[in-house]
Amino acid sequence: TVARSNFQPYGRDFNGGRPTGRFSNGKITTDFISDAFGLKPAIPAYLDPSYSISDFATGVTFASAATGYDNATSNVLSVIPLWKQLEYYKNYQKKLRAYLGDRKANGVISGALYLISVGTNDFLENYYTIPGRSSEYTIEEYENFLVGIAASFTEKLYELGARKISLGGLPPMGCMPLERTGNLMGGSECVDSFNNLAADFNGKLNALVIKQNKKFHGMQMVFSDPYGILMKIIQKPAVYGFEVTAVACCATGMFEMGYACSQRNPFTCSNADKFVFWDSFHPTQKTCSIIATYIVQNALAKFLSH
C-alpha cells in the first residue's frame, strides 16, 4: 500500500533500529499493552512472512495503516479494509486449530484480548478530504454510520468466539501536527471542531460498548479512551517530560508522514523522546508508552487478573 513506514527513520528506536511498518520511532501502544500482560514485547504482523503460527499463537496483529471502519476510507490509499482483516482472522483461527487442536485453540480464542483502534482516518482522510461521504451524510449521520459498522464488527468477533474486547476511542485529532499546521487563522493551535467531533464520537462508542455487553451473553467489552490522557500530555507536556507538542519529530514536523518522512531530511529531530508526535499523524514511542499505561490501568485492568 501507499501507507507504508517500512523504511528509516521509522523504527530507529525499535530493537536494533529496525523499521517494522509501525508508524513510530519505536513501539506502538499495542506493543506496550502486550508487554504489560506478560506477553511478547512486540506483536508480529499476520502477513509478515518471517513469522509462523507458532509466533501468532501468543499474539498477532491484523492492522493496516490508514484503514477505517468505512470501506471508502481503506479505498483512499488502497489499504486492507476491516472486513478483509476479519477474513484474515478467520483464516488465523483455522491455522490455530490445526496447530493447537480444537480445545486448546478455543481456549486461546476466548481468553485472548482483542484490541480495536480505528476511526481517525474515517474523518480526516475520508469525510473531510474526499468528496463523497460528505455529500451523502451529515457529520452526525456519518458518525452513526461508523458506529453501526463497529457494532456489526464486534458482533462478528463475538460470534467467532471473542469475549474480551477493547474498543478504542479517537484521540484529540485536532491537535495532530497535520491539523495544527493547517490552522493558520487559528494561530496553529489545536482545531477545536475536530477535537469536539472526536469527543462526541467517543461518547457514541462508549454507549455502544454498554449496549453490546447487555446484548451478548459473556461479552466483556471495554471502552479504551486515549483522548483525555493525550490531551493532558499536549496541554502540560513538561509534566510528562516532553518539550514539543505542536510539531512532529520527523522532517519539518508539519505535514510529513509515510514517504515524506525520509531519513535524508536534515530537519528530523535527534531525540524523539522530547516530542509528543513522531510524524504529523502518529505519536512517538514515549507517548505510546504513557497512553498504554493509562489504558491498562483504566480500561484493561480487569483482564489482568484473569
Side-chain angles (χ1 to χ4, degrees), residues 15-35:
N15 307 346
R18 250 173 350 115
T20 60
R22 288 161 172 79
F23 276 81
S24 170
N25 58 306
K27 292 183 184 180
I28 55 174
T29 307
T30 40
D31 295 318
F32 288 111
I33 291 171
S34 176
D35 209 7

Side-chain angles (χ1 to χ4, degrees), residues 102-128:
D102 282 0
R103 197 176 62 80
K104 238 178 164 179
N106 289 343
V108 169
I109 289 161
S110 64
L113 175 59
Y114 296 77
L115 298 163
I116 303 165
S117 172
V118 67
T120 307
N121 291 80
D122 289 306
F123 296 105
L124 298 186
E125 299 295 299
N126 180 357
Y127 189 89
Y128 285 110

Side-chain angles (χ1 to χ4, degrees), residues 1-301:
T1 78
V2 186
R4 281 172 182 254
S5 57
N6 58 341
F7 47 84
Q8 294 281 359
Y10 285 99
R12 71 176 194 195
D13 299 313
F14 200 79
N15 307 346
R18 250 173 350 115
T20 60
R22 288 161 172 79
F23 276 81
S24 170
N25 58 306
K27 292 183 184 180
I28 55 174
T29 307
T30 40
D31 295 318
F32 288 111
I33 291 171
S34 176
D35 209 7
F37 274 80
L39 297 166
K40 50 179 68 122
I43 305 173
Y46 186 61
L47 297 181
D48 187 336
S50 55
Y51 295 98
S52 69
I53 190 64
S54 60
D55 303 295
F56 299 147
T58 53
V60 56
T61 176
F62 302 91
S64 179
T67 201
Y69 285 113
D70 184 357
N71 288 336
T73 304
S74 50
N75 292 343
V76 173
L77 292 172
S78 304
V79 299
I80 304 168
L82 211 51
W83 66 265
K84 182 69 177 167
Q85 292 179 35
L86 196 69
E87 292 302 309
Y88 284 133
Y89 172 63
K90 288 179 189 169
N91 189 254
Y92 162 75
Q93 281 200 351
K94 282 182 195 151
K95 288 182 183 172
L96 192 68
R97 291 197 163 98
Y99 175 66
L100 291 178
D102 282 0
R103 197 176 62 80
K104 238 178 164 179
N106 289 343
V108 169
I109 289 161
S110 64
L113 175 59
Y114 296 77
L115 298 163
I116 303 165
S117 172
V118 67
T120 307
N121 291 80
D122 289 306
F123 296 105
L124 298 186
E125 299 295 299
N126 180 357
Y127 189 89
Y128 285 110
T129 311
I130 303 219
R133 289 305 192 203
S134 51
S135 57
E136 285 174 67
Y137 300 98
T138 65
I139 188 61
E140 178 131 344
E141 287 166 347
Y142 189 60
E143 284 182 67
N144 295 338
F145 168 68
L146 297 180
V147 171
I149 296 169
S152 84
F153 184 73
T154 51
E155 182 172 345
K156 281 173 188 156
L157 275 181
Y158 176 82
E159 285 165 1
L160 289 164
R163 291 297 176 265
K164 302 170 183 178
I165 300 173
S166 158
L167 189 61
L170 301 187
M173 51 194 189
C175 290
M176 290 171 173
L178 185 75
E179 302 310 327
R180 291 178 78 151
T181 300
N183 187 23
L184 294 173
M185 301 300 284
S188 297
E189 288 300 313
C190 296
V191 181
D192 289 341
S193 59
F194 282 154
N195 285 350
N196 295 340
L197 170 62
D200 189 54
F201 186 66
N202 286 350
K204 292 180 177 181
L205 288 179
N206 192 32
L208 172 67
V209 167
I210 295 163
K211 189 173 146 192
Q212 298 284 68
N213 281 330
K214 284 180 186 158
K215 187 175 174 185
F216 299 109
H217 176 71
M219 167 89 92
Q220 296 184 70
M221 203 185 329
V222 295
F223 178 60
S224 294
D225 188 1
Y227 187 100
I229 181 66
L230 191 50
M231 205 57 173
K232 276 184 186 165
I233 293 169
I234 289 162
Q235 286 167 344
K236 297 196 166 158
V239 173
Y240 298 90
F242 293 105
E243 292 174 16
V244 186
T245 60
V247 294
C249 169
C250 189
T252 61
M254 294 177 184
F255 53 82
E256 295 92 352
M257 59 182 161
Y259 287 121
C261 172
S262 82
Q263 71 186 112
R264 287 184 293 282
N265 196 300
F267 299 112
T268 297
C269 77
S270 57
N271 182 3
D273 283 353
K274 292 179 179 174
F275 286 70
V276 176
F277 289 94
W278 166 249
D279 65 14
S280 66
F281 218 80
H282 302 94
T284 55
Q285 171 174 266
K286 182 177 170 181
T287 308
C288 288
S289 170
I290 296 167
I291 292 169
T293 301
Y294 174 84
I295 283 172
V296 167
Q297 288 169 353
N298 292 277
L300 309 177

